[in-house]
Amino acid sequence: MNTQDETTALKAARELFVRMVVSNWELQNQRLNGWLAKLPEERLAEPVAEGKNRAVYLLGHLIAVNDGMISLLGLGERLYPELDHLFVKDPDRTFEEIPSVADLKAQWANLNAVLTRYFTELDAEEWFTKHNAISDEDFAREPHRNKLNILINRTNHEAYHLGQLIFLKA
Amino acid sequence: MNTQDETTALKAARELFVRMVVSNWELQNQRLNGWLAKLPEERLAEPVAEGKNRAVYLLGHLIAVNDGMISLLGLGERLYPELDHLFVKDPDRTFEEIPSVADLKAQWANLNAVLTRYFTELDAEEWFTKHNAISDEDFAREPHRNKLNILINRTNHEAYHLGQLIFLKA
C-alpha cells in the first residue's frame, strides 16, 4: 500500500471502531426506549424490586450520568447539570421533590437526540483523544482512556441499570 | 509519514481498540467476581428479586453465553456446551436439577482464564474479521459486525445481569 492508502486505511479503521461503539450505545437506548414506551407512566414511581431504587430515580440517574458525557468529552454545555445533585450525589428517597416522569422522559429523549448529533459530528480521530477527567501524564501512559472509552463505559453503565429497570413489566 | 510508519500506526490503532474493549470486559468480570467473593455461597440459591431468576441461574446463564464466544469467534472448542440447554434455552425453575454453585463458580473462573488467554493471543487484525454467525454477504455490507463487536455486546450483556445480581447483598 502507498502512504495515501495507508492513511485512508487508518481513518477507515477508526471510523469503523467508532461505529461499533456508537451502535452498541444506540442498541441499549432502543431497548430502554422500548421498555419505557410500554410501561404506564405512573408505574415508574414503583421501586424496581422490593427495597431498591424507584424506576423514576434510575431514569433520572441515567439522564444525569449520560448528560455528563457532554462536558467530559468537551462537546459543549451540559443540558441538565441540575440533575446531578438529585440523581447522582443523593441516593433515592433522601429528597422530597422529584421531577415528573413526563419531564424526565422528555429530557431523556432530547438528551439522546443531542448526543446522537454530537457523536455524528465528532471526527473519528477526535474520539481517540483524551477526555476532560484525565491528566496529560496519565493519558500518555494509558492512551486507551480516551473519549470513546467513556462511551463504552457509559453504555455498560446503562445496560447495568436497564437490567434492573426491566424488572418492572408492563 | 512513510508507509512503514503508517502500517505501524494502523496496527497500533487496532491494538488500542482491542485493549479498550478487552479492558472493559475485564472490568465487568472484576465487579462480578468482587460480588461473588463476598456473598455466602448458599445465598446464590435465592432469586435476585421476588419472582425473578435465581442468582445461580444468572451465573450459569453468563457462563453459557460467554462460553459461546469460543465457537462464535472461532477460538477453539467450547468448554461447557452442555450448559446451553439449562441456562439459555430453558427459563429458570423449569428443571429439577441444577449444577452446584461450587461447580459453577469453578467453571466461571476457568472460563475467564481461558477467554483471557484466547483474547491475548488473538491478533488485533483478526478481531476485525467476521464472526461465525454472520454470512460473507452481510459482513461485506456491515463490517462493524466483527469479532470485537461480539465482545462489546457480551460485555453489555454481562453488565445487564450484573445489575440484577447485585440486588443480593452480602
Side-chain angles (χ1 to χ4, degrees):
Chain A
M1 280 197 273
N2 63 38
T3 304
Q4 184 57 47
D5 286 348
E6 290 283 354
T7 309
T8 308
L10 180 59
K11 190 166 182 292
R14 285 197 178 120
E15 284 171 356
L16 181 70
F17 196 59
V18 171
R19 180 146 38 108
M20 287 161 63
V21 174
V22 172
S23 69
N24 275 284
W25 171 72
E26 287 170 344
L27 185 63
Q28 297 304 317
N29 286 343
Q30 282 163 20
R31 288 179 179 165
L32 202 149
N33 289 337
W35 169 82
L36 205 53
K38 273 193 291 186
L39 197 77
E41 220 165 78
E42 67 275 13
R43 295 210 43 211
L44 273 89
E46 297 178 22
V48 294
E50 201 189 326
K52 305 299 179 186
N53 287 318
R54 289 174 292 175
V56 64
Y57 180 84
L58 290 178
L59 179 61
H61 177 69
L62 287 174
I63 297 168
V65 170
N66 286 1
D67 185 52
M69 284 196 282
I70 296 177
S71 52
L72 207 49
L73 306 185
L75 300 170
E77 289 292 316
R78 287 188 57 175
L79 303 178
Y80 313 114
E82 71 280 5
L83 297 185
D84 271 12
H85 192 74
L86 270 182
F87 294 113
V88 181
K89 296 193 184 71
D90 292 346
D92 194 12
R93 299 193 194 79
T94 57
F95 40 82
E96 294 283 315
E97 298 275 325
I98 193 164
S100 75
V101 168
D103 282 353
L104 288 173
K105 280 173 86 163
Q107 290 176 333
W108 172 251
N110 183 46
L111 172 64
N112 285 331
V114 169
L115 284 175
T116 298
R117 199 168 59 237
Y118 277 134
F119 292 169
T120 308
E121 287 168 1
L122 197 64
D123 192 75
E125 200 169 352
E126 187 68 27
W127 275 106
F128 294 91
T129 60
K130 80 178 207 64
H131 58 72
N132 290 331
I134 182 172
S135 69
D136 289 336
E137 294 73 31
D138 285 349
F139 187 64
R141 270 194 307 273
E142 304 182 289
H144 67 284
R145 295 174 60 190
N146 52 40
K147 291 179 180 178
L148 197 57
N149 203 48
I150 293 285
L151 184 57
I152 296 177
N153 179 282
R154 294 305 185 272
T155 301
N156 281 315
H157 175 257
E158 186 171 323
Y160 178 96
H161 289 301
L162 180 58
Q164 302 173 336
L165 287 167
I166 218 82
F167 279 172
L168 284 189
K169 288 207 191 308
Chain B
M1 281 197 272
N2 63 37
T3 305
Q4 185 55 49
D5 287 349
E6 289 283 354
T7 308
T8 308
L10 180 59
K11 189 165 183 292
R14 286 201 178 117
E15 284 171 355
L16 183 70
F17 307 158
V18 172
R19 181 146 37 109
M20 287 162 64
V21 174
V22 172
S23 69
N24 275 284
W25 171 71
E26 287 170 343
L27 185 62
Q28 297 304 318
N29 286 342
Q30 282 162 20
R31 287 178 180 165
L32 203 149
N33 289 337
W35 168 82
L36 205 52
K38 273 193 292 186
L39 198 76
E41 220 165 79
E42 66 275 14
R43 294 210 45 212
L44 272 89
E46 296 177 23
V48 295
E50 201 190 325
K52 306 298 179 188
N53 287 317
R54 289 174 293 174
V56 64
Y57 180 85
L58 290 177
L59 179 61
H61 177 69
L62 287 173
I63 297 169
V65 170
N66 286 1
D67 184 53
M69 285 196 282
I70 296 177
S71 51
L72 207 49
L73 306 185
L75 300 169
E77 288 292 316
R78 288 187 58 175
L79 303 179
Y80 313 114
E82 71 280 6
L83 297 184
D84 271 14
H85 192 74
L86 270 182
F87 294 114
V88 180
K89 295 192 185 72
D90 291 346
D92 194 12
R93 297 193 196 78
T94 57
F95 40 82
E96 294 283 314
E97 298 276 326
I98 192 165
S100 76
V101 169
D103 283 353
L104 289 172
K105 281 172 86 163
Q107 290 177 332
W108 173 250
N110 184 46
L111 172 65
N112 285 331
V114 169
L115 284 175
T116 297
R117 200 170 57 238
Y118 278 134
F119 293 169
T120 307
E121 287 168 1
L122 197 64
D123 193 74
E125 199 169 351
E126 187 68 26
W127 275 107
F128 293 90
T129 60
K130 81 177 208 64
H131 58 73
N132 290 332
I134 182 171
S135 68
D136 289 338
E137 295 71 34
D138 284 351
F139 187 64
R141 270 194 307 273
E142 304 181 289
H144 66 285
R145 295 174 61 190
N146 52 39
K147 292 179 179 178
L148 196 57
N149 201 50
I150 293 285
L151 184 56
I152 296 176
N153 179 281
R154 294 305 183 274
T155 302
N156 281 315
H157 175 257
E158 186 170 325
Y160 177 97
H161 289 302
L162 180 59
Q164 301 173 337
L165 287 168
I166 218 82
F167 278 172
L168 284 191
K169 288 207 191 307

